Amino acid sequence: MDPASSIFRLATLVWVAIFTCDNAAGRSGTFVTASALSPIQLEKEALLNTGWWNSSLSPADYSSDHCKWTGITCNSAGSIIGLHLSKDNVNFNGRLSHLNFSCFPNLESLRIQAYYDGFTGSIPSEISALSKLQLLDLSSNRLRGTIPSQIGNLRNLVYLNVSDNVLTGPVPSTLGRLTNLNYMSLSRNLLGGLLPQEIGNLKNLIELDVGDNSLIGPIPLTLSRLTSLKKLSSNQNQLNGLLPQEIGNLKNLMLLDVGNNDIIGPIPSTLGLLSDLSYLDLSCNQFNSSIPNELTRLTQLFHLDLSSNKLSGKIPSQIAIQFPGLCGNILDLHSCHTTKPATLFVEIFLPLAIVFSVIVFACLLLIKRYEKPKLKTRVTNSIDVFSIWNYDGRIVFEHLIEATEDFDSKYCIGTGAYGSVYKAQLPNGRVFALKKLNSPETEELAFIRSFRNEAQVLSQVLHRNIVKLYGFCFNRKCMFLIYEYMERGSLFCILHNDDEAVELDWAKRVNIVKAMAHALAYLHHDCSPSIVHRDISSNNILLNSKLEAFVADFGTARLLHADSSNQTLLAGTYGYIAPELAYTMVVTEKCDVYSFGVVTLEVLMGKHPRDLLSSLSSSSDPQIMLIDVLDQRLPPPVDQQVIQDILLVSTISFACLQLNPKSRPTMQSVSQKLLITRKTPLMKHAAIQDISISELRK
């Protein structure tokens, strides 16, 4: 067929696709040819009409199976259930409305992210045609206009993200219909008006972010119904009125950020009921009265910012002792708005003078201390500097030394490349993990920079599946980090202990994989600049008393700016390092993706998958059954949901282990696949015994 004929045929198919899908959706059309193309062909032609392209394909390749195109996921019947549109596979010269939603009746996941170089125009109301949609991510584009009320018809939606656009108008009350939502972010737009009361209907919501908009009015009392909520951010708005006492009903809350608003009245004493709260920002508001003593009950709190309010009275003495650090100076009188010249001395120069005096006094104490021949066994009135980046915290240095009897080996719970980890229990009962750096290395400038880098990175990280850094001690005699303590230790140790490994049933193992994925997706895509861990291994996955997983050890973490690579010395753990690092030395997020794939197989197999990976790399492509590589210490899974989860996790792990980094998925896409419920079976086989590894690698 000559080129001219091919172009004419393609144009005809696109035209047919447009009108056929429109008629299927009930809109007016004049060209009804429903029999001309199958539903799957219509999906493909609708993509081409959108401007879909793939730099790895030639024009002739577009006649190939579109399920193999980058950014597309299909079900077993070949129908599209997942679309990821990015600057790598779509020509972004059009509007979002150019995508004919009615052509994708089985779509479960739609992600359009081009980081400020993507789709323009508004969010079409026709998006409500995607009745099976569970994940909708339109963040980081240039979308304008309002959020259509019809979006409330997407009743199966679990994940909604329209952040980082230029959306205006009110938050539609119809969002209250999305009762299956776990995550909703409307942040960094120009949304105005009141936050609708109907938001209180979202009983399954875990994270809600409406920050950095122009919302007005009081915080709805109905938010107190969201008892599953773990993160609530409404900062950088114009919210006013009181912070309701009912906020104490959110017993699972870990993060509360209402900073930079116009909220008035006292700080609710009911905040003391939020026992899991670790991040609290009430800064730059109009809070008055005194700081409630109930805040001393928040034993998990490590970020507290009460600055720039109208607080009075004394700071509860227990706060400075019980909390590892305070963000900001709660005595700060500096206003978030314009400062009048007449008050410059009181609001700026006087606090600076006080701070300077305190620093000088502290330095004199330290000098005097180091003149002593040795450290006292117990010195309760003298403290060493305990620092957290962006914090003004202090802790009793001697108590930490005493808790480990000057780092006696009997308190050592692990060793690593940078030093040893010790368990330390303070007099108030709190338990920490102290990571003491090897003394010979602490004198090297490069090592000190690495140490500072780890402290700086971790102090800015807040995620439920990442080990918390509470602070560090840094002086010429000793350097150590102070971490959240994990009772069950490393995943590596548990998998290598037969009794403990059996405790990790299949459901718990799937949850470990999900936790790793969510944590890495946060580091890669929610931190700015993005963070690459560089040493993901089973040794750096820690478990708490409930066998929940947390990513740990950022000793080799590097910050990467967008659209850049990082050439560095080879780092990581042998057996987990991405193969391209051996010859390119270029660190990217895809290196973590590969390591994640290795650990995921290790979780399923109960041991490092080196033998399996070696077999799969051979040209013979042996027929290995999945059931034969799963951990034989556990009985084979029988629950259909658990089997489905294992199949999904296995498929994802092999995708992450692609030799070509560009062929690996992003951790964001992995996280989202694990977040939404998969209703379509991955395999036609009813029994897991019939599924081979080669089928999972297709």
Side-chain angles (χ1 to χ4, degrees), residues 107-137:
L107 197 64
E108 297 176 3
S109 173
L110 174 60
R111 296 174 53 225
I112 302 177
Q113 290 180 308
Y115 299 101
Y116 309 103
D117 189 26
F119 278 103
T120 60
S122 59
I123 302 175
S125 60
E126 288 79 8
I127 202 169
S128 61
L130 305 175
S131 59
K132 295 185 179 181
L133 201 65
Q134 298 180 43
L135 183 149
L136 178 59
D137 190 345

Side-chain angles (χ1 to χ4, degrees), residues 306-483:
L306 307 178
S307 62
S308 300
N309 279 288
K310 297 180 178 180
L311 299 172
S312 60
K314 295 182 178 180
I315 304 174
S317 58
Q318 298 91 334
I319 288 181
I321 299 174
Q322 191 168 355
F323 296 159
L326 295 178
C327 177
N329 178 4
I330 58 177
L331 291 181
D332 185 8
L333 300 177
H334 176 60
S335 172
C336 298
H337 309 289
T338 304
T339 303
K340 297 180 180 180
T343 62
L344 283 175
F345 178 80
V346 175
E347 297 188 2
I348 297 179
F349 295 115
L350 183 58
L352 287 177
I354 295 173
V355 171
F356 179 78
S357 301
V358 171
I359 293 174
V360 171
F361 180 73
C363 290
L364 291 174
L365 285 178
L366 289 174
I367 292 172
K368 183 177 180 181
R369 173 185 170 174
Y370 286 124
E371 290 174 349
K372 297 177 181 179
K374 62 179 181 178
L375 182 68
K376 291 183 178 180
T377 303
R378 181 177 183 85
V379 183
T380 58
N381 296 323
S382 177
I383 61 174
D384 198 348
V385 175
F386 172 89
S387 303
I388 291 185
W389 291 87
N390 300 327
Y391 288 75
D392 184 25
R394 287 181 171 84
I395 197 167
V396 179
F397 172 80
E398 287 76 12
H399 285 177
L400 293 172
I401 301 299
E402 289 177 3
T404 60
E405 298 181 25
D406 200 11
F407 296 104
D408 189 281
S409 59
K410 66 182 179 182
Y411 296 98
C412 183
I413 56 176
T415 58
Y418 286 102
S420 300
V421 181
Y422 298 81
K423 179 181 178 181
Q425 183 170 352
L426 296 184
N428 63 2
R430 297 201 63 186
V431 181
F432 296 95
L434 306 185
K435 182 178 178 183
K436 184 176 182 291
L437 285 304
N438 294 325
S439 55
E441 295 176 324
T442 58
E443 298 177 359
E444 299 178 8
L445 180 59
F447 187 78
I448 291 176
R449 287 175 177 171
S450 176
F451 170 81
R452 286 183 176 275
N453 178 66
E454 181 173 1
Q456 184 178 19
V457 170
L458 278 182
S459 70
Q460 299 168 355
V461 169
L462 178 67
H463 191 276
R464 65 170 282 105
N465 299 119
I466 295 177
V467 176
K468 297 175 187 175
L469 170 69
Y470 288 108
F472 65 86
C473 175
F474 190 175
N475 62 39
R476 63 185 180 185
K477 289 187 176 182
C478 181
M479 292 169 58
F480 58 84
L481 297 164
I482 303 174
Y483 284 109

Side-chain angles (χ1 to χ4, degrees), residues 474-532:
F474 190 175
N475 62 39
R476 63 185 180 185
K477 289 187 176 182
C478 181
M479 292 169 58
F480 58 84
L481 297 164
I482 303 174
Y483 284 109
E484 179 181 12
Y485 177 69
M486 292 291 160
E487 293 84 352
R488 299 302 298 270
S490 72
L491 174 63
F492 175 86
C493 291
I494 289 183
L495 290 178
H496 283 74
N497 182 299
D498 290 343
D499 293 333
E500 292 185 331
V502 173
E503 292 185 64
L504 293 178
D505 57 31
W506 294 118
K508 287 186 176 68
R509 297 192 186 204
V510 169
N511 286 335
I512 287 174
V513 174
K514 290 181 178 180
M516 289 192 297
H518 299 329
L520 288 175
Y522 171 84
L523 293 174
H524 291 181
H525 300 280
D526 293 332
C527 294
S528 181
S530 60
I531 301 173
V532 177

Side-chain angles (χ1 to χ4, degrees), residues 32-54:
V32 182
T33 56
S35 62
L37 294 173
S38 68
I40 293 178
Q41 288 175 314
L42 288 175
E43 292 178 347
K44 179 177 179 179
E45 300 305 331
L47 288 179
L48 294 175
N49 182 54
T50 306
W52 195 277
W53 69 285
N54 190 322

